[in-house]
Amino acid sequence: MSAVRALALVVAILVCSLPAWAGKHTPEQIQQAIKELSDRNFNVREKASRILWEAGADAEEPLRAALKSSDAETARRAKVLLEKFEWGIFPDTPAAVVELINRYRDGDRNVRLQVVPKLLGLGQPGYLVLKRLAAKETNETERQAIYSQMAANAQRGVPGLLVAGDWAGVEDLLDRCLLSDTEAAYTNYAAHHYLRGSVDPALAKAMAEWNKTKSKPSGMLVVHLYRVKSDFAKARAVAQEMGNEALVESLLWEASDWRGLAERVAREGLSPREGSEMGKKAAYARLAGDRSIFTKAVDELQKLAESEDRFEVRSACDALLLNGKYADALKILIDRKKNVPLAFDLLVARLQFQEAFALAREAQLLDKDEQFMLDLHRARALFQLGEKGEAQQILERLGGSLKEVGEMTSARDLVKALVRLGLPEQAGEQAARYLALIQKQGVIEGFAEVLEPLFGTDKDSAEAWWIFLRSQSGDEEPGKTMQALRNLWAGKPVEKRNEWAKALVEQTAPLGPVPVDPLAPEASPRPNPALAAAIVMQRAGNDKKAEEYLNKAASVRPVSATLVYLGDFLYAKNRFKEAASAYERAATVDSGNPLPQFLRGWALKQSGDAKEGARLMDLAHWIPLGSEQDRGEFAKQLDRRGFPDDAKRERDLVLVTGWYRYWHVGNVVDDAGRLALRQKNYAKAIAMFEKSIAGSMRTNAKFIDNQAYLTGPQSVVQAVIRQLLAENKIDQALAAIRAHLDALPGNFDIVIVVVPVLEKAGRKKEADELYEAMRGRFEKLSETYPNSGFAHNLCAWLAVNCRRDSDKAFEHAQKAVSLSPKGADYLDTLSEIYFRRGDIAKATDTMKKCVELDPNYRYYRKQLERFAKGDTSSEVPETDDD
């Protein structure tokens, strides 16, 4: 952007900052008031000052002239008023804005920069003031810092302007943010114009500036606008003219131009000698079909794996795994024994349990954390195989070994493993033991991490209850305290529930010394006791008290999450207008979060205001602007709340307007791939899965689940198999299936998909062979581990979905349920068998138990809907859409 344009923007501030109350007094009245500032009568002078104050911006120029008056009183009064106006303080300026202006005026540099996003969050009034503050700043470096803060927090300012319909204000804000010359500013600007449908005119202006100045800001703007048009060739041409090679590479990546990226690798070589970097370059070559570079990269990774540094070995093996070289990686891991937990998990994923246990027994020189992880995973595998006694001994030992404050993450992993194994009571015992122990060591907060596996998104409220109950329990065994907490959460009868909830609410106090600052409560690190009490009362069915406590929580600590919870409560009661009001408050407090605005619109639609509701829901999609992370999180929340179309819209916007700069974009890309797979758009699914895998190396991201290093790349192969089958390329599909099952011998999903397709294509022999091979593998596993509900369930699920061996499947399913009566997965299999046999009543009753065990899993409810229709030939619903 040229210096001339930047100056024009600053000069324009006063023109576009006229407040709504301008024009209250005529020019003649204003001039008369100026004259009366020097009147002998004090009351006349006071009235004149009041009129000029009310005139606001309309009086600024006359007051500047009055500053030069020879009359001292006139000059003094003019100066007092002008100082207020110059700071953006007018008669109608909200108190919260005035408070922030005062903070800015009196604070140091850090305080002033902290005020910027807060002003943006207050919508039009805050933004108008912010422009004046930037104009007042005479130091160019400081003004640039203000613009950088504006760019980084543009999403806080946009919602208020959008809701007010102030499109000119939105564009003015985003235009002004460009002065910061930051990534966020360019991405937000381009995303806005994409949503607005005005990319071409914006691009024409940017191109004119670029052709005139060849400046970096104008070039970056052109590149970002071409990017949202998916015109990568023209974007690259400008980036190359700028000499910005990193940007050229990013554009090749965004275009999925693997050939172009591989050619860069050929020119630059494979250095530096680092796993993710070499793995990324290997992926470029592999996807471009360049076997020569790919082979060289694999060789270099294998050499790196010869290191004595286990972290280098791990990074090399991760890269090999993600590039499909699982056999090479597994051999290195087993031979070197430097990353045993990873090797163990990979063997388990391949159903090589005996080899995995043998490796674990031979493991040596593991540090404490790695040994803990290995033992935890070993116990999990043993439990899965029915060796529950040995597994629980290991789990008890691991729990007893946790004695230090710094072992919070290990404690969480242990509790999570116990929950996933269907052992919530033991999980509660272990969590309670550890939390009580560290409380004795002086820890007073931060327990939510350990409580999360038990209480999910309510973990902060569970922490508030835990702290309270321990304060009431004296020397009570921690396990009893945890059982009381779990009973409260389950809505079970608890003698002192009402008394405790009342006492907990009384602990709630307003936060922060400045109540007019609407953003200060968001900084609270502590859970809200009143919200915690409300949740418990709601679960107990006492909605009257729940609402009372929710209102208390929302009044003294009006953070967004609490207000959304209140909105959800009211919405569930069909009190839609009140719910919309609560969501509106949440949107005001956390203006950069699109979810409350979306929910407000949805509630208004249900209340009968369809037009305004639809408008707000649509505007919510504008709020994230160019933030890939915020759009990804918004998509996730929309999915969870049952808005799949809106979630898809968000992910599509990330793919068009966003950049793959950070690891979390990989989650969005992967989700897009899974959706494409469900929609049978196999080419897109393959492209998305490949990009997600390559992206994990590009951003040096790590998978939480070790098995994903094997299963992730194989998701591409599964999509390829489905595409080949859809194209009736049976022989090629069979070859791909064999390769896939060599990597993942126990993946029944692909067998369930392929067997009916082969039968329909007249390839019964191949269908039988494929089914029998997988059935034999599972039968052997169930014979080796007869007490494994997991193994019996595999046999049953495979058979029922391939529509074979019905009686045998029924036996295995019954055995699995008898071994784990509360295993929702096993009950699901049994209900499916009942359904296929035509026993709709038993199928439904069994599935209802699944819903009781996991009420938030939408798949089970879909099954109930399917059973109600009674079509036993219908397909099982998708499971990975939540």
Side-chain angles (χ1 to χ4, degrees):
M1 181 174 293
S2 69
V4 172
R5 186 180 180 203
L7 179 60
L9 275 173
V10 175
V11 171
I13 287 174
L14 295 182
V15 176
C16 61
S17 298
L18 293 177
W21 55 88
K24 184 174 181 179
H25 294 278
T26 66
E28 292 76 17
Q29 290 173 321
I30 291 171
Q31 288 298 333
Q32 181 62 32
I34 292 287
K35 291 178 183 179
E36 291 175 351
L37 289 178
S38 60
D39 195 276
R40 291 183 177 184
N41 188 313
F42 174 78
N43 290 333
V44 172
R45 295 198 303 272
E46 283 291 292
K47 180 181 178 181
S49 289
R50 185 172 67 253
I51 288 172
L52 294 169
W53 165 245
E54 291 171 351
D58 288 344
E60 283 188 275
E61 287 305 316
L63 283 168
R64 287 195 179 92
L67 275 177
K68 303 173 184 178
S69 173
S70 58
D71 180 76
E73 179 69 2
T74 296
R76 183 187 70 79
R77 285 178 176 267
K79 182 180 180 181
V80 169
L81 288 169
L82 282 172
E83 282 183 350
K84 290 184 177 180
F85 293 163
E86 286 172 0
W87 283 105
I89 300 176
F90 292 92
D92 294 358
T93 303
V97 175
V98 173
E99 169 60 28
L100 290 173
I101 292 171
N102 291 333
R103 286 198 208 178
Y104 184 95
R105 185 167 51 189
D106 300 335
D108 59 17
R109 184 176 191 272
N110 287 335
V111 170
R112 291 197 299 273
L113 292 181
Q114 288 170 9
V115 166
V116 172
K118 294 183 178 183
L119 281 170
L120 278 174
L122 295 178
Q124 278 181 313
Y127 178 52
L128 292 175
V129 165
L130 189 53
K131 290 193 291 185
R132 285 180 171 269
L133 298 182
K136 280 181 63 67
E137 185 54 68
T138 57
N139 184 298
E140 182 58 34
T141 301
E142 293 303 305
R143 183 186 293 128
Q144 188 76 4
I146 291 174
Y147 286 135
S148 294
Q149 277 287 77
M150 288 172 66
N153 295 278
Q155 288 163 244
R156 303 191 77 142
V158 164
L161 298 170
L162 286 175
V163 173
D166 187 358
W167 293 99
V170 173
E171 296 196 8
D172 179 67
L173 168 59
L174 297 178
D175 206 32
R176 199 171 304 274
C177 288
L178 293 175
L179 297 171
S180 70
D181 188 23
T182 60
E183 276 185 351
Y186 299 121
T187 309
N188 287 338
Y189 184 92
H192 170 76
H193 281 286
Y194 177 82
L195 289 163
R196 189 89 165 132
S198 55
V199 174
D200 286 338
L203 184 56
K205 289 182 182 179
M207 279 298 298
E209 186 75 17
W210 165 247
N211 291 330
K212 179 181 177 182
T213 66
K214 299 298 181 183
S215 67
K216 177 200 168 187
S218 62
M220 290 294 289
L221 188 56
V222 169
V223 166
H224 280 72
L225 288 168
Y226 271 132
R227 186 266 177 275
V228 296
K229 285 172 65 72
S230 297
D231 195 337
F232 295 106
K234 288 181 180 177
R236 285 200 305 274
V238 175
Q240 286 168 340
E241 193 174 351
M242 292 171 65
N244 191 330
E245 287 301 313
L247 185 56
V248 172
E249 182 176 345
S250 289
L251 288 164
L252 288 169
W253 168 268
E254 297 300 335
S256 299
D257 187 346
W258 309 120
R259 171 57 58 187
L261 288 165
E263 288 172 355
R264 290 175 70 88
V265 173
R267 291 195 302 271
E268 298 170 1
L270 292 170
S271 61
R273 197 167 180 270
E274 192 276 325
S276 287
E277 184 66 19
M278 286 194 290
K280 175 188 75 174
K281 293 179 176 180
Y284 294 165
R286 175 175 56 82
L287 293 168
D290 191 328
R291 300 302 303 175
S292 175
I293 295 178
F294 179 66
T295 301
K296 289 178 183 177
V298 169
D299 290 343
E300 288 299 313
L301 286 168
Q302 289 176 328
K303 289 177 185 176
L304 179 62
E306 295 172 1
S307 169
E308 290 304 312
D309 185 328
R310 70 185 179 95
F311 296 103
E312 288 191 345
V313 175
R314 173 67 193 255
S315 69
C317 288
D318 287 353
L320 288 169
L321 286 163
L322 293 173
N323 276 290
K325 306 296 287 185
Y326 64 89
D328 294 339
L330 194 52
K331 183 177 187 306
I332 291 168
L333 290 167
I334 292 172
D335 290 347
R336 301 300 310 281
K337 295 183 175 62
K338 286 189 175 294
N339 291 274
V340 179
L342 173 60
F344 180 90
D345 288 346
L346 296 175
L347 289 169
V348 167
R350 289 167 51 80
L351 302 185
Q352 293 178 263
F353 291 102
Q354 294 301 325
E355 294 89 335
F357 294 138
L359 180 66
R361 286 194 297 270
E362 297 167 7
Q364 296 178 355
L365 302 176
L366 298 181
D367 64 29
K368 183 178 180 181
D369 289 342
E370 191 177 23
Q371 185 66 58
F372 185 95
M373 185 187 302
L374 176 60
D375 287 343
L376 182 60
H377 293 190
R378 183 163 63 93
R380 187 174 62 191
L382 286 167
F383 194 93
Q384 195 174 37
L385 294 173
E387 306 293 337
K388 296 182 179 180
E390 183 179 355
Q392 292 203 355
Q393 287 180 8
I394 296 171
L395 293 168
E396 284 292 327
R397 175 172 56 79
L398 290 175
S401 72
L402 298 173
K403 299 177 180 178
E404 305 297 330
V405 174
E407 295 173 322
M408 191 86 74
T409 299
S410 293
R412 178 206 63 198
D413 290 345
L414 174 61
V415 175
K416 183 183 293 185
L418 287 163
V419 170
R420 289 183 175 177
L421 291 174
L423 301 171
E425 291 80 11
Q426 291 92 320
E429 285 282 347
Q430 290 293 354
R433 187 203 62 80
Y434 178 74
L435 293 179
L437 187 149
I438 62 174
Q439 280 180 289
K440 288 182 178 179
Q441 297 178 29
V443 178
I444 61 172
E445 61 185 10
F447 308 126
E449 181 178 4
V450 177
L451 293 169
E452 188 272 336
L454 286 162
F455 300 96
T457 55
D458 290 328
K459 60 185 183 296
D460 291 327
S461 293
E463 177 181 331
W465 270 104
W466 170 260
I467 294 170
F468 172 79
L469 292 174
R470 288 305 290 169
S471 72
Q472 304 291 307
S473 63
D475 295 329
E476 180 181 78
E477 283 293 317
K480 289 185 177 180
T481 307
M482 182 60 72
Q483 189 57 55
L485 175 53
R486 293 183 63 238
N487 286 341
L488 287 168
W489 234 252
K492 294 181 179 179
V494 176
E495 183 181 354
K496 293 186 177 181
R497 181 192 351 259
N498 294 352
E499 175 187 336
W500 285 343
K502 183 175 182 294
L504 191 60
V505 170
E506 289 171 356
Q507 294 183 3
T508 306
L511 297 184
V514 187
V516 295
D517 180 354
L519 300 180
E522 285 288 3
S524 170
R526 300 298 301 276
N528 187 328
L531 175 61
I535 291 172
V536 163
M537 298 311 290
Q538 184 182 13
R539 288 170 180 261
N542 189 339
D543 287 346
K544 183 178 179 180
K545 276 296 179 184
E547 184 172 357
E548 176 188 333
Y549 295 159
L550 275 173
N551 283 320
K552 171 83 170 178
S555 65
V556 299
R557 295 191 182 185
V559 298
S560 178
T562 300
L563 291 164
V564 168
Y565 205 108
L566 173 60
D568 290 345
F569 175 87
L570 295 168
Y571 185 93
K573 303 298 178 186
N574 295 330
R575 293 159 61 182
F576 301 123
K577 288 187 177 180
E578 293 173 79
S581 178
Y583 292 137
E584 182 180 12
R585 290 172 63 195
T588 301
V589 170
D590 189 7
S591 58
N593 183 355
L595 181 64
Q597 198 69 267
F598 183 91
L599 295 175
R600 177 189 171 198
W602 178 247
L604 284 175
K605 284 187 73 172
Q606 306 315 301
S607 74
D609 193 348
K611 184 176 180 181
E612 178 65 2
R615 185 180 80 90
L616 293 174
M617 290 173 71
D618 181 65
L619 288 179
H621 289 287
W622 292 62
I623 291 174
L625 292 174
S627 173
E628 304 90 354
Q629 183 173 9
D630 289 348
R631 286 202 183 278
E633 179 60 28
F634 187 28
K636 189 186 302 181
Q637 293 291 339
L638 289 168
D639 257 338
R640 287 174 180 169
R641 288 174 173 269
F643 297 97
D645 292 340
D646 289 281
K648 181 181 183 298
R649 177 177 172 181
E650 285 303 305
R651 294 187 179 109
D652 288 345
L653 282 168
V654 172
L655 299 179
V656 174
T657 68
W659 294 69
Y660 206 129
R661 298 185 182 109
Y662 312 107
W663 64 267
H664 51 73
V665 180
N667 293 338
V668 176
V669 174
D670 195 60
D671 287 341
R674 290 203 299 272
L675 177 60
L677 192 65
R678 291 198 296 273
Q679 296 176 335
K680 300 184 179 180
N681 185 345
Y682 302 119
K684 182 177 179 179
I686 293 166
M688 292 295 100
F689 289 149
E690 287 283 24
K691 194 158 195 170
S692 176
I693 292 163
S696 67
M697 290 177 279
R698 185 171 184 262
T699 58
N700 199 22
K702 304 298 179 188
F703 290 106
I704 296 174
D705 183 356
N706 281 333
Q707 293 189 6
Y709 285 96
L710 181 57
T711 59
Q714 289 304 312
S715 64
V716 179
V717 182
Q718 292 186 74
V720 168
I721 292 169
R722 293 190 181 201
Q723 183 177 43
L724 290 169
L725 291 171
E727 295 171 353
N728 202 32
K729 297 177 180 178
I730 303 298
D731 290 331
Q732 290 174 258
L734 286 169
I737 291 165
R738 294 186 190 101
H740 173 65
L741 292 178
D742 183 64
L744 284 174
N747 185 17
F748 56 78
D749 284 335
I750 197 64
V751 176
I752 289 170
V753 168
V754 170
V755 164
V757 175
L758 291 176
E759 289 178 336
K760 189 175 181 179
R763 306 290 288 267
K764 188 174 185 307
K765 178 175 179 294
E766 289 89 342
D768 290 345
E769 289 174 351
L770 185 60
Y771 170 77
E772 287 299 327
M774 185 64 70
R775 186 194 66 80
R777 200 170 291 131
F778 291 165
E779 287 287 353
K780 182 177 180 181
L781 188 66
S782 68
E783 291 167 5
T784 305
Y785 299 100
N787 293 322
S788 170
F790 163 74
H792 288 291
N793 190 61
L794 286 175
C795 295
W797 188 252
L798 173 71
V800 69
N801 282 282
C802 288
R803 299 182 183 272
R804 299 172 182 228
D805 299 325
S806 176
D807 292 341
K808 193 71 174 174
F810 187 51
E811 290 176 17
H812 279 298
Q814 286 183 312
K815 180 67 173 176
V817 170
S818 70
L819 289 165
S820 299
K822 293 184 179 181
D825 286 350
Y826 305 162
L827 288 165
D828 173 40
T829 300
L830 182 59
S831 70
E832 183 65 25
I833 294 172
Y834 280 134
F835 181 65
R836 294 287 175 87
R837 289 181 159 202
D839 195 338
I840 309 297
K842 284 187 177 179
T844 301
D845 288 344
T846 307
M847 185 53 63
K848 286 179 179 178
K849 294 178 183 178
C850 295
V851 174
E852 290 174 9
L853 289 166
D854 193 351
N856 296 321
Y857 193 30
R858 291 204 302 270
Y859 162 77
Y860 294 145
R861 297 190 182 277
K862 289 180 182 179
Q863 281 283 60
L864 282 175
E865 293 171 6
R866 173 171 164 255
F867 292 170
K869 293 177 182 177
D871 182 2
T872 59
S873 65
S874 61
E875 294 184 3
V876 174
E878 296 284 351
T879 59
D880 56 349
D881 60 344
D882 53 355

